């Protein structure tokens, strides 16, 4: 039956496959690895907190200078890993660490 429909009623079949724009499935190509596409969706508060905590752990474990946070090569590195995350400056990180230490 499908063969008959495809051969004899091709225009009807094509019309029936068309969907309104709001019902069409999003193409996988619309989700690329480029920073511009992924940066359109902001980080949730939970995701930002996880990133801040991971950075805080790095700062505590390895004790690099706080100026590293503002170094262009470090911010570029973080941007490659998570383009939506904005690295806190050294003063912000000191504040985050102080807040965590007090609690």
């Amino acid at each position: 039956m499908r063969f008959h429909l495809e051969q004899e009623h091709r225009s009807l079949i094509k019309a029936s496959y068309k969907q309104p724009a709001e019902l069409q499935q999003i193409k996988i190509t619309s989700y690329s690895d480029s920073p511009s596409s992924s940066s359109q969706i902001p980080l949730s508060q939970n995701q930002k907190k996880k990133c801040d905590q991971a950075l805080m752990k790095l700062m505590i474990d390895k004790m690099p200078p706080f100026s590293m946070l503002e170094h262009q090569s470090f911010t570029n590195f973080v941007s490659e890993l998570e383009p939506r995350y904005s690295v806190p400056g050294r003063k912000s990180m000191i504040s985050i660490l102080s807040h965590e230490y007090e609690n």
Side-chain angles (χ1 to χ4, degrees):
M1 182 168 185
R2 182 176 178 184
F3 179 77
H4 169 77
L5 291 172
E6 289 173 348
Q7 296 301 313
E8 301 298 324
H9 306 285
R10 188 173 295 148
S11 62
L12 292 175
I13 291 175
K14 285 184 181 180
S16 69
Y17 287 143
K18 291 183 181 177
Q19 296 179 357
E22 66 272 3
L23 295 179
Q24 289 182 349
Q25 184 173 3
I26 298 172
K27 294 184 176 156
I28 191 83
T29 55
S30 66
Y31 294 100
S32 70
D33 291 334
S34 69
S36 61
S37 65
S38 60
S39 63
Q40 293 173 356
I41 303 169
L43 282 175
S44 69
Q45 283 296 102
N46 190 37
Q47 291 170 316
K48 182 182 177 343
K49 187 174 182 177
K50 283 182 180 181
C51 289
D52 286 344
Q53 288 175 340
L55 184 56
M56 182 175 57
K57 185 174 179 348
L58 170 73
M59 298 301 289
I60 292 169
D61 289 349
K62 299 301 176 189
M63 295 193 306
F66 284 97
S67 61
M68 178 191 80
L69 298 172
E70 296 169 345
H71 197 277
Q72 188 66 42
S73 60
F74 182 74
T75 56
N76 288 344
F77 173 71
V78 172
S79 180
E80 285 296 317
L81 296 175
E82 177 53 81
R84 301 171 299 168
Y85 181 65
S86 177
V87 177
R90 57 189 171 86
K91 290 181 180 179
S92 296
M93 181 51 69
I94 290 169
S95 175
I96 291 169
L97 284 168
S98 297
H99 179 73
E100 287 295 319
Y101 179 73
E102 291 170 4
N103 293 331

